[in-house]
Amino acid sequence: MKLVHISDIHINSETILDSDPVDNFGRCIAHVEKHHMDADCIVITGDLTHHGQEASYIRLRDMLDKSALKDALAPRLMIGNHDNRNNFARVFPNTPRDENGFIQWTEETPAGLFVYMDTNEPGTHAGVYCERRQEWLNETLADARAAGMDVWLFMHHNPLTVHVANADLIGIIQQHELREILRAHSEIVKHIFFGHCHYTLSGSVEGIPLSAPRSTNHPCWPEFSGDPRVMAYGPVAPNYNVCFLDAGATVVHSIDFLHEDEIIRLMAGEDGWITEVVAD
């Protein structure tokens, strides 16, 4: 199964850190349309907008409506800390919600059960996964286990300490409780996809592999000074991830889509080897 994972598009009427989020996301969509129309699923893991304004969700809806990403390729939209749950729901009313009104749901796919989690909490940029959401996740994973299904989790916030002080200050508050759930179901949860940090991340938690792309607009630099007040950014390329989910194997590629025109392609021989020309 081929998955396109995009995160932190931050649609906004003005530039953010000298970058235009609308233009950048438009170029991201165009790149996906050009290279990955054979994908099975596209997921955007939150921070759909920068300020949660209804006008920004309408702008996003219009961009997606004009794109070729329709039907099965219509992006699954999740919310992050910059989003407003009510404004999002007004513009995208068909996005599923659980019985408590959280924007989280499940989807059966060729790879197994995709579980889309809502870690948004008004009034804080930290991630929140309260008792009601934990109960929903526990029940969902228990049902998947009973059905013999593999599970793939999607969320906005980093579900563990990433050792960058600024990111960890606004990670998931209930990290201990979430890790207990993950530990209890680690044999069926195959991968965790998230965003929020704005830089490429990979690793594992409770034995479960995880990955995150950068923002499509303003990627960050992992700042290891230990000062939680410092958010670092600079000449780092925006990207999205292309993931292949196969039985017993997961592969994640980072795609720096703004640099497509700079890529040089060489032709190899039938053995796959490129013959190097050595200057005299």
Side-chain angles (χ1 to χ4, degrees):
M1 178 178 180
K2 184 177 181 180
L3 163 73
V4 173
H5 177 200
I6 302 169
S7 199
D8 296 274
I9 62 178
H10 286 263
I11 298 300
N12 194 50
S13 59
E14 300 176 349
T15 60
I16 304 168
L17 300 180
D18 302 321
S19 294
D20 184 341
V22 173
D23 180 67
N24 277 358
F25 182 60
R27 294 173 71 178
C28 176
I29 290 176
H31 197 270
V32 172
E33 290 174 330
K34 181 179 179 181
H35 296 283
H36 303 296
M37 292 300 287
D38 62 336
D40 297 287
C41 186
I42 300 172
V43 180
I44 307 179
T45 49
D47 281 359
L48 304 174
T49 68
H50 196 53
H51 295 296
Q53 296 170 337
E54 188 169 341
S56 295
Y57 292 114
I58 292 172
R59 185 72 176 271
L60 172 59
R61 183 188 63 192
D62 292 345
M63 294 178 74
L64 294 176
D65 285 346
K66 293 174 182 176
S67 78
L69 307 180
K70 310 292 186 187
D71 302 321
L73 281 186
R76 281 60 167 168
L77 302 178
M78 302 175 63
I79 61 172
N81 51 292
H82 279 263
D83 288 306
N84 179 288
R85 187 179 288 111
N86 293 329
N87 286 346
F88 170 80
R90 274 194 290 272
V91 179
F92 295 97
N94 294 327
T95 303
R97 305 178 79 156
D98 71 6
E99 62 183 10
N100 295 304
F102 296 114
I103 299 172
Q104 53 182 18
W105 73 101
T106 65
E107 177 183 13
E108 292 189 18
T109 76
L113 188 70
F114 279 16
V115 178
Y116 306 103
M117 299 165 58
D118 182 340
T119 59
N120 168 285
E121 185 72 14
T124 179
H125 283 292
V128 170
Y129 213 64
C130 61
E131 289 186 5
R132 287 179 296 170
R133 283 176 270 196
Q134 292 171 37
E135 290 173 2
W136 177 85
L137 181 61
N138 252 323
E139 292 175 4
T140 297
L141 295 179
D143 290 344
R145 183 202 298 273
M149 300 183 71
D150 290 339
V151 175
W152 310 79
L153 298 182
F154 296 81
M155 65 186 74
H156 177 69
H157 289 81
N158 45 302
L160 77 168
T161 299
V162 299
H163 302 284
V164 175
N166 179 261
D168 290 333
L169 184 65
I170 54 174
I172 288 191
I173 294 174
Q174 294 85 1
Q175 184 182 135
H176 175 74
E177 291 83 353
L178 180 58
R179 289 186 64 159
E180 284 190 342
I181 296 172
L182 296 175
R183 188 181 309 118
H185 299 280
S186 60
E187 76 280 6
I188 64 168
V189 179
K190 299 305 177 183
H191 200 92
I192 301 172
F193 301 94
F194 66 101
H196 188 50
C197 297
H198 286 223
Y199 34 78
T200 301
L201 275 166
S202 60
S204 66
V205 58
E206 302 302 335
I208 302 168
L210 53 81
S211 62
R214 305 177 197 132
S215 166
T216 59
N217 186 65
H218 48 293
C220 292
W221 178 263
E223 171 62 38
F224 297 111
S225 66
D227 189 340
R229 300 168 299 175
V230 178
M231 186 281 287
Y233 77 104
V236 182
N239 74 6
Y240 64 89
N241 286 350
V242 174
C243 315
F244 295 88
L245 318 181
D246 298 316
T250 303
V251 175
V252 178
H253 294 272
S254 294
I255 310 299
D256 296 351
F257 60 92
L258 293 185
H259 293 294
E260 172 75 19
D261 294 339
E262 303 170 35
I263 298 303
I264 299 169
R265 292 173 171 84
L266 302 176
M267 296 303 295
E270 291 185 0
D271 61 356
W273 190 257
I274 298 171
T275 301
E276 298 180 56
V277 177
V278 181
D280 294 335

